[in-house]
Amino acid sequence: MPILHWLNRDESLTIADKTPYRVLEEVPSLSRGEVGTQNMLVQGDNLDALKSLLPYYAGQVKCIYIDPPYNTGHAFEHYDDNVEHSTWLSLMVPRLTLLRDFLSEEGSIWISLDDDEFHYVKVVCDEIFGRNNFVATNIWQKRTSPDMRASLSDAHEYVLTYARNKAAFKSAINKLPLSEEHEKNFKNPDNDPHGPWTSTDYTAQGYRPNQMYEIVTPSGAVYTPPTGKCWKNIESVYLAQKAEGRFWFGRDGSAMPRRKTYLSEREGLVPWTWWTNKEVGHYQESKKEIVALFGVDNVFETPKPERLIKRIIELSTNSGDLVMDSFLGSGTTAAVAHKMGRQYIGIEMGDHAVTHCVPRLEKVIEGEQGGISKSVGWQGGGGFRFYRLGETVFDEYGEINPDISFEALASHIWFTETYQPRQLGAPLSTCLGVHQRTAFSLLYNGVLKDRSVSGGNVLTRKTLSIILEDIGEAEYDKIVVYGESCRLSPATLQEYRIVFKQTPYDVRS
């Protein structure tokens, strides 16, 4: 497989591994709506934020959409889009590497790009996600008229799509709902009791002897397949469908047969990769949406229309699924996901996480009627929690930060041991869970409170009894216990099938 080379390539491939884990700290004053919501808005560098979220959401995200800076060579007000090519690739590769690990088995990532970097990112994504997991290059018609300043006006951008597992994604992708324009194609000129229908040609390419029979129409006209073609089914199938009234022979009953498809049978349209501005919006539309939300003096240069994001989310997710955008910008993805009943995680580094994303989502909760609101019947409700990145779990020497909470260290240990996410806000317990018949336990930072001596960080007979109580009736073959020290004898450890790991030395950073 071809591999793209650029300056600092080798270093960029290791950046994700070297990025430290940080604690996520909620800012209640910037959170809005329902207290128990799982929706998250995170302010901070998206590389640090992704690394911090990974222990909680690895393998859980159904759809990732990102609209990264295009590296066009122009300066934008809200971010620097003028980055040298190799630097831009070095910025994108570690982020794409982390994003891959968030995807569920049926999950997919959709990346907005233009001609400046699209072809390079395609090669990079072949390497990161696997060439066999490439799904499609969708073409979005972004304009309604040519740019008269250009020598050859660009009319489109790309939405590059990869799956975590292409076969699983193919079985899960949704069809597009029929539009009013498509429904108008269904008529009922013969008062068919099955309702409105449309018809298709009943011939197929090729020659099959058992599909070369004569068809006699109601008026007596006789048809055989044209040269080089045959009927679509064998005669017995044709006769059964004809008896059901599934064929149209024209108003006078003498036309070549056409088979009916009923409106009631249509589950939707198979999507194709040409997305017109009429179907999914354009830049003029998205700018109007932003002006309506923030006013003419506070507008992003190239926001995406809500209808474009709706198309991606409706194809790749169902109600309640988790959507992620790590280049959130003005908050469009989060707003659309909220209105469509999806959970979401949005990450934005700049101040506009507060100045744009928070007020926009606040308006969504209040029931604003812009964008896709009317088409999805949005009336308001829900909520989100606002987070910033706090201290690193480990210091520059690999030692555990003494101020790190039990939950932060527990999530980190659980993830590094199992590579499975731990529920954010899980109940406080010495037992982190059981994975593949191994129970994992952590004695740290006073988790036992007043139930033990030495702050509860030492493995003793007393703390062991609490660990066994917390494990309960779960079945396991061994227990891995993390703690500051162990006062149990080797014989006791063997008796209870315990593997002791000392913090901080045995905690992988």
Side-chain angles (χ1 to χ4, degrees):
M1 182 179 71
I3 295 176
L4 189 67
H5 288 274
W6 67 91
L7 185 66
N8 299 328
R9 170 189 159 86
D10 292 342
E11 180 183 351
S12 70
L13 295 176
T14 64
I15 289 175
D17 289 337
K18 294 178 180 179
T19 301
Y21 288 92
R22 293 183 176 274
V23 177
L24 292 167
E25 297 179 343
E26 185 178 356
V27 184
S29 62
L30 293 173
S31 298
R32 298 288 187 272
E34 295 177 359
V35 175
T37 180
Q38 298 298 307
N39 298 328
M40 299 178 69
L41 178 57
V42 182
Q43 184 182 29
D45 180 273
N46 56 14
L47 188 64
D48 289 336
L50 289 171
K51 193 66 175 282
S52 300
L53 288 162
L54 199 57
Y56 302 104
Y57 294 102
Q60 302 296 302
V61 180
K62 193 72 173 294
C63 168
I64 296 173
Y65 170 76
I66 58 172
D67 182 17
Y70 283 5
N71 200 19
T72 59
H74 302 292
F76 290 82
E77 179 182 356
H78 294 286
Y79 59 83
D80 181 8
D81 196 32
N82 186 10
V83 185
E84 198 272 328
H85 176 65
S86 62
T87 304
W88 189 88
L89 286 171
S90 295
L91 175 139
M92 290 301 300
V93 165
R95 287 159 175 81
L96 289 169
T97 301
L98 286 175
L99 287 169
R100 174 196 60 200
D101 293 339
F102 283 94
L103 288 176
S104 66
E105 190 70 5
E106 297 176 344
S108 56
I109 182 169
W110 307 67
I111 308 170
S112 279
L113 295 160
D114 66 4
D115 281 318
D116 289 286
E117 296 290 354
F118 165 75
H119 304 86
Y120 300 98
V121 173
K122 171 65 170 67
V123 178
V124 167
C125 285
D126 280 348
E127 186 174 353
I128 293 174
F129 296 96
R131 185 175 174 84
N132 59 322
N133 287 317
F134 167 69
V135 176
T137 300
N138 303 287
I139 310 298
W140 170 47
Q141 186 186 19
K142 66 179 180 179
R143 298 184 186 276
T144 57
S145 60
D147 182 354
M148 302 308 294
R149 299 167 297 178
S151 56
L152 189 62
S153 179
D154 61 330
H156 69 276
E157 290 181 8
Y158 306 98
V159 181
L160 184 62
T161 308
Y162 278 80
R164 181 60 187 260
N165 181 317
K166 188 174 180 179
F169 171 78
K170 184 177 180 181
S171 66
I173 188 172
N174 297 316
K175 293 182 178 179
L176 293 174
L178 293 178
S179 65
E180 291 184 10
E181 184 176 346
H182 282 106
E183 289 186 1
K184 289 178 181 178
N185 294 325
F186 290 82
K187 310 290 185 181
N188 196 359
D190 58 348
N191 295 316
D192 191 313
H194 295 97
W197 51 267
T198 186
S199 65
T200 55
D201 180 22
Y202 191 56
T203 62
Q205 293 291 337
Y207 174 84
R208 297 177 180 86
N210 60 344
Q211 294 172 219
M212 301 299 295
Y213 48 90
E214 291 184 345
I215 289 182
V216 180
T217 72
S219 69
V222 179
Y223 289 96
T224 56
T227 303
K229 293 186 176 183
C230 61
W231 301 124
K232 284 186 177 179
N233 299 111
I234 61 176
E235 188 172 16
S236 60
V237 173
Y238 160 72
L239 292 173
Q241 293 181 350
K242 181 184 177 185
E244 295 172 357
R246 280 186 171 271
F247 280 89
W248 173 246
F249 299 95
R251 292 186 181 276
D252 62 358
S254 63
M256 180 172 281
R258 295 178 64 83
R259 185 165 57 187
K260 297 178 180 178
T261 298
Y262 296 104
L263 177 61
S264 60
E265 296 175 333
R266 292 299 297 266
E267 296 177 354
L269 297 172
V270 174
W272 63 343
T273 57
W274 170 235
W275 297 0
T276 68
N277 53 41
K278 183 178 181 181
E279 291 179 326
V280 298
H282 43 79
Y283 272 130
Q284 291 94 322
E285 177 179 315
S286 58
K287 287 181 180 180
K288 287 180 181 179
E289 291 173 354
I290 295 297
V291 168
L293 289 166
F294 304 115
V296 295
D297 297 326
N298 202 9
V299 179
F300 268 64
E301 185 71 19
T302 54
K304 295 298 186 290
E306 289 197 7
R307 285 197 291 160
L308 175 66
I309 308 304
K310 176 179 179 287
R311 164 66 60 88
I312 293 168
I313 291 177
E314 70 184 348
L315 287 177
S316 60
T317 68
N318 297 305
S319 179
D321 285 340
L322 181 58
V323 175
M324 174 181 279
D325 185 343
S326 58
F327 292 88
L328 190 59
S330 62
T332 304
T333 302
V336 173
H338 196 120
K339 294 176 183 180
M340 295 180 69
R342 274 59 166 176
Q343 299 182 62
Y344 58 86
I345 299 172
I347 304 170
E348 182 50 53
M349 178 174 66
D351 292 338
H352 42 283
V354 176
T355 60
H356 287 70
C357 297
V358 169
R360 180 172 190 171
L361 292 173
E362 188 173 29
K363 290 178 181 179
V364 171
I365 293 169
E366 292 170 352
E368 61 92 356
Q369 290 299 297
I372 66 165
S373 293
K374 290 183 173 62
S375 67
V376 298
W378 178 247
Q379 296 296 320
F384 66 90
R385 306 268 70 82
F386 189 97
Y387 293 84
R388 289 194 174 109
L389 297 175
E391 296 287 338
T392 58
V393 177
F394 300 89
D395 63 22
E396 57 184 315
Y397 305 106
E399 299 287 341
I400 297 174
N401 187 327
D403 296 327
I404 290 300
S405 68
F406 173 86
E407 179 175 305
L409 185 59
S411 297
H412 177 80
I413 288 175
W414 176 256
F415 183 69
T416 56
E417 286 280 6
T418 68
Y419 206 63
Q420 299 295 314
R422 175 175 161 83
Q423 181 183 352
L424 193 63
L428 193 66
S429 169
T430 62
C431 179
L432 308 185
V434 178
H435 179 71
Q436 296 181 350
R437 298 192 67 83
T438 298
F440 294 93
S441 178
L442 173 63
L443 303 173
Y444 173 75
N445 212 7
V447 64
L448 302 181
K449 296 183 179 179
D450 60 351
R451 293 193 288 172
S452 75
V453 296
S454 303
N457 298 344
V458 178
L459 182 57
T460 64
R461 285 277 185 178
K462 184 173 182 179
T463 54
L464 174 58
S465 66
I466 297 172
I467 290 172
L468 295 175
E469 179 183 334
D470 287 347
I471 294 175
E473 298 181 358
E475 296 184 359
Y476 60 89
D477 295 328
K478 65 178 179 180
I479 309 173
V480 174
V481 178
Y482 282 85
E484 287 183 6
S485 62
C486 176
R487 296 181 185 173
L488 300 181
S489 67
T492 303
L493 293 175
Q494 184 176 1
E495 176 186 355
Y496 287 95
R497 296 166 291 167
I498 295 173
V499 176
F500 181 76
K501 294 189 176 184
Q502 189 175 17
T503 54
Y505 310 108
D506 290 329
V507 179
R508 286 179 287 171
S509 61

